[in-house]
Amino acid sequence: MSPVALSALIALAAASTRVLAQDATSSSFVPLASKHFSYPSGIPYQVDTDPTGRGPQSGYNLCNSTTEGPNSLCQTAFLNSLDDFCLWSSPTPNETIGDTEAEEVAWCTKKGRGTRIIPDGAIQGVQFMRTPDYIQVVGFIDQTQINLQADDGGGELDPHGADLRGNPLGGLVYSNGFPSNNGNNDTFQQVTEWTLFIGGNQFCFKACDPAGPNAAELCQHLFDRIGIAYNCPNQAQNGTFERCEGENQDPAGVYTSNGQVMTYTQPPESLGPITSLPYQPRVPASSNCVQFASSALFTDLVSSVSATATASGSGAGATPTGTAKVSSGASSGATRSGASAGSTPTGGASQGNGASAMGISVISTIAGVAFAVAFLA
């Protein structure tokens, strides 16, 4: 049987077995973050077939060579390494994250998994960070090349959402980048706690190790209004492509003031824009950073006639860069509220190591959150 025919049969089977009532109050409801599927044999055509509420799922999870390309609706993403990751973004041009959060599809740097491929030149700088409990990519991108409006401040996507069905609805994430994979690049684990901020031409995609003790805390999804700088404190630089090892960050919203560990509570959107925060995030120390030329990393990216950005590396080969350098850091305040880039409110007391790296982030604040547009988690 051809792959096309097989996909059609799977789609028909999925449609014929839809559960008609599976909201969060139903005893049969299973939150997206609690659904587990082995890769690739255990993945269904669609994870969420419930037509009620926001459903059913707009895309599909069973992706292969027949689905790969510019029209793919694959909603299975990957985060593995500096040169192998995906981003969630709109399936249709000139959109905002706020309007399409449930429908986002996977845009990836590698072929072979049935997704869309990020256009060549769109990615303008990336830092890949491996820590004891999570892996993370923070970077800079021409977001118009992945169907977002140039001025979209973006949003936060995660496997939870207000109805626990995730954004995108039914979106799955897999990785071979954790120690428990034992270096086997052909073995993928499902990541049930992850978060992705994208907007303002910046992004952060973090996947927490399913075997780790603090996955839910380190991939916190509650602080959607305070952006990348507070959820993914980093030292990423535009124009630089590097991989590093680092410490775990403090869980988002947790900080130390005068020797006391404090927890920030994000106010509801009904109270208006967030114009200040009581702290600046601690940027975790990093080490063993190695820089690469972008041309050596993203060999599968497709050309785009509309591409105007040119990604530039830092040298022809891999060169060690030492430890814990301080830079401006990716500062996007992309939030679930649709606040524009850099909308991380002005912080308070300095938080020690790396805090100065957040300077640009906390300065570009109030103008962003002032134009926040509310939408569901």
Side-chain angles (χ1 to χ4, degrees), residues 30-358:
V30 179
L32 176 61
S34 298
K35 296 180 178 181
H36 300 279
F37 308 97
S38 60
Y39 182 89
S41 60
I43 296 180
Y45 178 75
Q46 287 182 316
V47 165
D48 191 330
T49 59
D50 177 13
T52 63
R54 296 189 298 146
Q57 182 175 345
S58 62
Y60 39 78
N61 301 103
L62 191 60
C63 312
N64 53 37
S65 60
T66 69
T67 66
E68 185 168 291
N71 297 314
S72 175
L73 296 179
C74 181
Q75 292 179 312
T76 299
F78 299 83
L79 174 50
N80 299 317
S81 61
L82 175 61
D83 65 339
D84 186 1
F85 62 89
C86 304
L87 299 174
W88 295 118
S89 193
S90 172
T92 54
N94 199 36
E95 293 283 3
T96 69
I97 293 294
D99 288 337
T100 61
E101 59 173 357
E103 306 162 8
E104 314 299 13
V105 298
W107 295 73
C108 305
T109 62
K110 291 288 187 185
K111 297 178 180 178
R113 297 179 188 137
T115 68
R116 301 189 186 202
I117 306 300
I118 296 172
D120 187 25
I123 301 172
Q124 300 171 341
V126 182
Q127 181 189 69
F128 174 82
M129 183 68 67
R130 186 186 305 280
T131 80
D133 289 304
Y134 62 85
I135 55 177
Q136 171 180 286
V137 283
V138 177
F140 303 83
I141 190 168
D142 175 2
Q143 64 189 34
T144 63
Q145 296 196 50
I146 55 172
N147 285 349
L148 295 182
Q149 295 176 10
D151 60 353
D152 180 30
E156 190 257 347
L157 305 160
D158 59 63
H160 301 280
D163 56 5
L164 304 182
R165 298 171 72 177
N167 282 309
L169 197 70
L172 297 179
V173 173
Y174 290 85
S175 178
N176 61 20
F178 300 117
S180 49
N181 282 96
N182 298 315
N184 186 348
N185 291 337
D186 295 323
T187 301
F188 293 92
Q189 296 185 69
Q190 183 179 351
V191 181
T192 54
E193 293 292 349
W194 54 267
T195 183
L196 188 148
F197 285 79
I198 185 167
N201 294 308
Q202 298 176 37
F203 62 85
C204 170
F205 190 6
K206 182 194 301 179
C208 287
D209 189 342
N214 300 308
E217 290 77 14
L218 292 170
C219 280
Q220 181 63 262
H221 62 279
L222 299 179
F223 297 94
D224 55 291
R225 301 182 64 202
I226 58 177
I228 288 176
Y230 283 79
N231 286 273
C232 310
N234 67 89
Q235 298 171 354
Q237 299 179 79
N238 202 350
T240 297
F241 300 80
E242 65 179 0
R243 70 162 184 253
C244 301
E245 297 174 357
E247 300 176 344
N248 285 340
Q249 70 169 81
D250 298 327
V254 176
Y255 63 100
T256 301
S257 178
N258 297 322
Q260 288 189 312
V261 177
M262 311 288 285
T263 300
Y264 168 74
T265 300
Q266 179 176 271
E269 290 181 276
S270 59
L271 297 181
I274 299 173
T275 57
S276 66
L277 269 84
Y279 75 105
Q280 293 180 6
R282 178 186 68 88
V283 178
S286 60
S287 62
N288 300 323
C289 293
V290 181
Q291 294 184 0
F292 297 85
S294 61
S295 58
L297 296 172
F298 305 123
T299 56
D300 281 354
L301 300 194
V302 296
S303 61
S304 170
V305 294
S306 62
T308 57
T310 302
S312 59
S314 301
T319 54
T321 60
T323 62
K325 62 182 181 297
V326 176
S327 66
S328 61
S331 61
S332 170
T335 72
R336 192 178 299 141
S337 303
S340 61
S343 62
T344 46
T346 305
S350 172
Q351 293 302 306
N353 177 47
S356 61
M358 309 311 297

